[in-house]
Amino acid sequence: MENPAAGATTPNPVPAQRPPWTFLTNHSHVLLAVTANSRALVEDIADTVGITARATLHILADLEDAGYLQRVREGRRTRYVVQPTQHFRHPATAHQEIGALLAIFTPTNVTPPKESS
């Protein structure tokens, strides 16, 4: 008896070539990578996002300057702490905190802020 699935291939969830546009920017992807691992090296973040280490450093600086990340020195290493209560920059979503988006992608790593009663 033949197995009909034997010749079937599993679709690759990651396209071989980057599409011309995506829903999330590289800034978002860097923020998600830091959320997943605040001790990741810049090269590891760059590999995760699919950009250069230099571009990653620029994005980390942008995110820090805007208050989305806090840089913490630990000996010779740098760790980044995400500030999930910061609001989105776009006027249409400025009323929302970034923690809600981060929670969609990393539900075990981000604790939403407590609501006051």
Side-chain angles (χ1 to χ4, degrees):
M1 183 197 280
E2 283 187 42
N3 181 356
T9 60
T10 304
N12 184 357
V14 179
Q17 186 178 28
R18 291 183 84 167
W21 64 272
T22 62
F23 284 103
L24 299 177
T25 65
N26 286 342
H27 281 67
S28 300
H29 287 287
V30 168
L31 193 62
L32 288 167
V34 171
T35 300
N37 181 3
S38 67
R39 288 180 164 71
L41 298 173
V42 170
E43 292 80 10
D44 297 333
I45 297 169
D47 287 345
T48 299
V49 177
I51 58 177
T52 65
R54 184 180 182 108
T56 302
L57 285 169
H58 285 289
I59 290 172
L60 288 167
D62 287 347
L63 293 170
E64 184 182 7
D65 290 345
Y68 292 102
L69 293 177
Q70 179 183 5
R71 185 175 7 154
V72 177
R73 292 289 294 170
E74 293 178 340
R76 295 173 50 201
R77 299 277 312 261
T78 299
R79 180 172 61 89
Y80 292 94
V81 178
V82 175
Q83 304 299 312
T85 58
Q86 284 291 99
H87 290 262
F88 287 99
R89 294 168 50 106
H90 193 280
T93 54
H95 63 284
Q96 296 286 332
E97 294 178 347
I98 65 165
L101 176 69
L102 298 174
I104 292 170
F105 292 98
T106 55
T108 59
N109 293 341
V110 177
T111 304
K114 294 180 182 177
E115 293 185 23
S116 56
S117 328

